[in-house]
């Protein structure tokens, strides 16, 4: 993340930068921030992301951004937000649309570039947290295993899912666990496609609905800039904090239990229809394709 | 290594693996471990293979030629697997090997990759029965009309054959990557630790394990710390220690609770505010923890130092040894090239008087706890010939006063790292893994430990 017009400075090697007021400290802080960001994303693209490495990088990022806030006199040289920040800002706009109660909307409307940068940093960190989650959740859990998590009594959202399922069809409880998993997957993705109602979801949980959704996702995924279901999916964690949305809370629980959907699969990013090169669209298209792949497997089985 | 010598110890060198101009990735050694008597030395590599070396008994005709290590057995421990749900490969790299104490003629060892632990039985066969009644020597069924009398098959000597067979497979218990295994002093149980959980197994039971530590937060967004290493106490079967990425050590007592999330003792050194940098946390991450043979002390390794802790003192380490402090001003570059995430191991000698750990440029360091002397040695073919004395090396700061043969910090090769080292349990014999080469050094003058 090189600032426009700014030469990348040679890292100050010999001096231990502990003096915050020194300009070298700020330049090193920015360097560490940019390196950490690149490093984190690169680590996620590896076939085997190391949890220890991701956690250490995320902690460093958090510390670096906290120290930025702790030094208000520092002149932030970034006036137009750099590309990854812009995506974060964009996402914060998206999240703001979904949940006006979120503070993102307020910070986004602020004119102060400091506020927008801090919002960008917070949203990046939240994204990193959610991807750590998805990364660590990317475990060899079978569908049965994830359902065992669903049935844990402490999950409030789980109860909702089960009730929902029971309420919509007598034979539902007798369905196999794989089908329950399918439907909860469905619920997660469909909640953000506002044209579908809850009744629609439960009327027909066969392949036709899934195929339609796949197409929808695929189309949106190639657009790049539009807010997509997957885009919003990645930002479920901040949503969980608003209690007025039991729907999102339960779905958040489900999201955590369903690793494949939010994990970054090692798909090649050679998609000709992709317009924006930055990581977020690549990732959510990857998720879209993961989802497609998953749906295909479920459909075939 | 004794107290009567100023000169560096006489060390004998044996390189075991053929020299290549390039490094085959699969040949990179990923773990080294002596067994409890030191007779056997096992290495695991990135390709999932285990090579066991055996020390030849000392020959009487050459009293000064102490036993050398030769290849005893080689086998494929783990194969690459594919997790279809995640679309990810499970690496076959052997993360750790731990020997079980020998209880009969066979040897047992545990080997683990990221997900699966296996118990292997290594046994010798040097006799075979001959003189069967129904089969002839080639194994063909005899014509019964030719059998006129019964004979008892007799065991006849044959060429030594070493057989290795998997006896147990402990699978599907770890969501995250296994980084440590440790056999309990009760010789019945062992533990395996991954990034967030530690499981307790019984050696005979593969379909069940008990979770004894779980640091996974309810909300994964709150995750800031992972488990980096774990080990059982060498004598007390109820005690174990685990280290974290934040530089803390936790001693847990399994008698207190079934789930040992609450530690009995927390070992943490308060951070020096004047030394704080952006990388303070990363360099404080403990990469290895080892109990001393006595069980009284703990040895930990973080990025720049090795520390000895007294189990009775939680507030700070007893001793801190600077392994390569000249890197402290280079942390930013080391962060950029990922070297700051390297996990170095550490080792005690048999009498707990000397500690050893690896560094870069194929250097490794030894610190004598009593005399406070330390030495830097290099494991490389160029600098050591068989039976030659290893020359101590020195790293000088860039621009500093440089003596002959000193190496400047800027000329260090960061791709040559000594991550894995092991010390013979009773003698002054060390095994050093340098990428895909194994070096075994012996101290001839002082073979008995002081």
């Amino acid at each position: 993340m090189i600032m426009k017009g700014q030469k990348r400075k040679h890292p100050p090697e010999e001096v231990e930068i502990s003096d915050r007021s020194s300009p070298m400290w700020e330049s090193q802080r920015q360097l560490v921030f940019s390196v950490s960001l690149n490093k984190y994303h690169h680590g996620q693209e590896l076939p085997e992301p190391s949890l220890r490495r991701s956690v250490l990088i995320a902690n460093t990022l958090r510390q670096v951004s906290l120290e930025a806030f702790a030094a208000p006199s520092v002149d932030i040289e970034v006036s137009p937000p750099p590309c990854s920040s812009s995506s974060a800002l964009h996402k914060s706009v998206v999240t703001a649309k979904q949940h006006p109660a979120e503070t993102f909307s307020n910070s986004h409307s602020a004119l102060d570039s400091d506020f927008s940068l801090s919002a960008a940093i917070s949203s990046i960190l939240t994204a990193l947290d959610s991807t750590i989650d998805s990364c660590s959740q990317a475990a060899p859990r079978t569908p049965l295993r994830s359902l065992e998590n669903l049935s844990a009594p402490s999950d409030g959202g789980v109860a909702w899912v089960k009730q929902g399922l029971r309420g919509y069809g007598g034979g539902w409880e007798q369905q196999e666990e794989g089908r329950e998993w399918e439907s909860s997957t469905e619920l997660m993705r469909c909640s953000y496609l506002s044209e579908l109602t809850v009744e629609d979801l439960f009327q027909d949980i066969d392949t036709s609905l899934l195929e339609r959704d796949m197409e929808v996702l695929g189309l949106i995924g190639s657009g790049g800039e539009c807010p997509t279901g997957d885009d919003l999916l990645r930002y479920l964690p901040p949503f969980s904090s608003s209690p007025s949305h039991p729907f999102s809370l339960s779905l958040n629980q489900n999201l955590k239990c369903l690793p494949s959907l939010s994990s970054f699969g090692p798909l090649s990013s050679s998609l000709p229809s992709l317009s924006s090169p930055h990581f977020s669209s690549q990732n959510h298209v990857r998720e879209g394709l993961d989802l497609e792949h998953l749906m295909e497997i479920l459909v075939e089985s | 290594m004794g107290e009567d010598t100023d000169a560096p110890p006489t060390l004998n060198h044996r390189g075991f693996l053929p020299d290549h101009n390039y490094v085959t990735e699969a040949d990179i050694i990923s773990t080294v471990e002596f067994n409890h008597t030191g007779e056997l030395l096992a290495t695991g590599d990135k390709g999932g293979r285990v090579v066991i070396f055996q020390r030849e008994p000392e020959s009487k005709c050459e009293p000064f030629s102490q036993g050398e290590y030769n290849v005893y057995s080689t086998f494929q421990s783990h194969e690459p697997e594919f997790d279809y749900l995640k679309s990810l490969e499970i690496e076959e790299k052997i993360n750790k090997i731990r020997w079980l104490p020998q209880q009969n003629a066979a040897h047992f060892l545990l080997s683990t990759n990221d997900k699966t632990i296996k118990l292997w039985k290594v046994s010798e066969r040097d006799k075979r029965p001959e003189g069967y009644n129904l089969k002839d020597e080639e194994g063909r069924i005899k014509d019964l009309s030719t059998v006129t009398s019964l004979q008892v098959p007799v065991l006849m000597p044959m060429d030594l054959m070493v057989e290795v067979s998997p006896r147990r497979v402990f699978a599907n218990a770890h969501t995250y990557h296994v980084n440590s295994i440790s056999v309990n002093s009760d010789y019945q149980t062992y533990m395996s630790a991954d990034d967030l959980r530690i499981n307790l197994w019984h050696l005979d039971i593969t379909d069940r394990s008990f979770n004894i530590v779980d640091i996974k937060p309810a909300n994964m967004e709150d995750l800031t710390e992972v488990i980096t290493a774990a080990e059982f106490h060498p004598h007390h079967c109820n005690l174990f220690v685990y280290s974290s990425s934040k530089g803390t050590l936790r001693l847990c007592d399994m008698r207190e609770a079934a789930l040992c999330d609450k530690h009995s003792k927390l070992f943490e050194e308060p951070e020096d505010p004047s030394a704080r940098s952006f990388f303070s946390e990363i360099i404080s991450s403990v990469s290895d923890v080892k109990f001393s043979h006595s069980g009284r002390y703990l040895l930990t390794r973080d990025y720049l130092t090795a520390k000895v802790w007294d189990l009775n003192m939680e507030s700070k380490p007893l001793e801190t040894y600077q392994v390569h402090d000249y890197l402290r001003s280079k942390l930013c570059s080391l962060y950029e090239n990922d070297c700051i995430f390297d996990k170095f191991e550490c080792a005690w000698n048999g009498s707990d008087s000397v500690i050893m750990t690896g560094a870069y440029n194929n250097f490794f360091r030894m610190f004598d706890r009593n005399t406070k002397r330390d030495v830097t040695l290099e494991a490389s073919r160029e600098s050591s010939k068989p039976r030659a004395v290893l020359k101590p090396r020195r790293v000088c700061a860039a621009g500093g006063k440089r003596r002959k043969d000193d190496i400047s910090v800027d000329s260090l090769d960061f791709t040559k790292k000594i991550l894995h080292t092991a010390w013979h349990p009773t003698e002054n014999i060390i095994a050093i893994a340098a990428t895909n080469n194994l070096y075994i050094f012996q101290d001839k003058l002082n073979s008995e430990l002081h």
Side-chain angles (χ1 to χ4, degrees), chain B residues 43-102:
Chain B
T43 63
D45 66 21
K46 237 181 152 192
R49 285 173 308 229
V50 171
V51 180
I52 304 177
F53 298 89
Q54 185 188 42
R55 193 178 185 195
E56 296 303 319
E58 283 184 44
S59 106
K60 293 199 176 101
C61 40
E62 285 186 59
F64 293 112
S65 158
Q66 281 172 329
E68 296 170 357
Y69 284 84
N70 297 316
V71 178
Y72 179 64
S73 172
T74 304
F75 61 96
Q76 186 76 31
S77 169
H78 287 73
E79 298 274 1
E81 286 169 39
F82 196 78
D83 180 343
Y84 291 96
L85 193 66
K86 225 174 38 155
S87 290
L88 287 183
E89 252 193 44
I90 300 174
E91 260 196 308
E92 68 274 28
K93 172 170 77 97
I94 308 294
N95 292 334
K96 280 289 185 305
I97 290 175
R98 289 288 182 262
W99 291 92
L100 266 57
Q102 192 175 9

Side-chain angles (χ1 to χ4, degrees), chain B residues 149-163:
Chain B
S149 61
L150 279 179
Q151 56 181 349
V152 177
V154 182
L155 287 174
M156 302 296 288
M158 60 178 254
D159 291 337
L160 178 67
M161 198 164 70
V162 180
E163 297 175 329

Side-chain angles (χ1 to χ4, degrees), chain B residues 225-239:
Chain B
E225 194 173 8
V226 298
I227 297 171
T228 51
E231 193 177 58
F232 268 118
H233 192 282
H235 310 309
H236 302 299
C237 56
N238 55 300
L239 291 178

